[in-house]
Amino acid sequence: MMRFFRHQGVSRLKPLSQPSPRGGRRDSGGRRHIFSPLPLWERGRGRGEKCFSRPARGFTLVELIVALLLLSLISATLFGVFRTAGKSVEVGEQRTDDAASIRTVEDFLRAQWENAHPLRQRKEADFPLIFEGDKNQMIYVSALPPRIQGGGLWAWRLRVVRDGAHNKLVLEHTIPNVNEKKSLGAWSQQWSVLADRVDSVTFQYYGITGEAIKATPKWSGDWKDSQRLPQLIRMDVKLEGGRQWPTLYAEMRKGMETGCRSWNEASGKCGGV
């Protein structure tokens, strides 16, 4: 004969041959066995008994602090890398722009010096050239294209001036008047700035000076010959901080007798214009 008992809302059959006050059956050794179709961790629910299910586990405070610290270190490292890369790009671009500006200035000056005009003063003895050169500045005459201020011959003065807290390499201009004893008028105050933050500029001149026609050309820091133009001009520019421009060389293409109607080879002087 079988009887029914209810366990957690499920009807099960229990044999009556081996009744037990607490349910189940006993084996030959007297041990009681309880049969239930529910898993072990599901048994006892609803009767106040503890379950064997594993509770959910979160992060501890120490683990959270360590994770935040590692994230901060990684962020700081990446920020430093990106900042260094950005500065490197900016420095590279600045150096590229500076190199392009230097090349443009040197090309302009080289073109002016190579096409310098041997303009002579007509109201002075021996008709001296309008050209002066020392180690700090240089005065010469060169032509401008017609599209720039109408073109023509202009006198130029290249030197370093103090402007505020820094030195600048500037190019001044004026219109020469060869029919006056003072052939060079007032220099324009609207100079052209060729370079900023300049520490020093040094000029050197190569050629023959004086009446020794057969003398060996040499370099000099001062050009005192008023009858000849130098054969070569050298300019060295040193910027603040120790940086230097590439040394600029230019060749004067005009002969020493150019601009003179009668040139005295023996004395090395102009006899008339």
Side-chain angles (χ1 to χ4, degrees), residues 114-131:
E114 290 177 351
N115 295 282
H117 189 79
L119 190 63
R120 295 181 178 272
Q121 303 179 32
R122 298 181 180 180
K123 297 297 182 179
E124 295 189 18
D126 297 329
F127 309 101
L129 290 167
I130 303 178
F131 184 90

Side-chain angles (χ1 to χ4, degrees), residues 117-131 140-142 153-155 174-185 259 273:
H117 189 79
L119 190 63
R120 295 181 178 272
Q121 303 179 32
R122 298 181 180 180
K123 297 297 182 179
E124 295 189 18
D126 297 329
F127 309 101
L129 290 167
I130 303 178
F131 184 90
Y140 59 94
V141 177
S142 183
L153 293 177
W154 291 75
T174 186
I175 299 177
N177 187 357
V178 296
N179 295 317
E180 297 289 339
K181 288 187 177 181
K182 188 177 180 181
S183 57
L184 299 180
V273 292

Side-chain angles (χ1 to χ4, degrees), residues 51 115 136:
C51 300
N115 295 282
N136 297 320

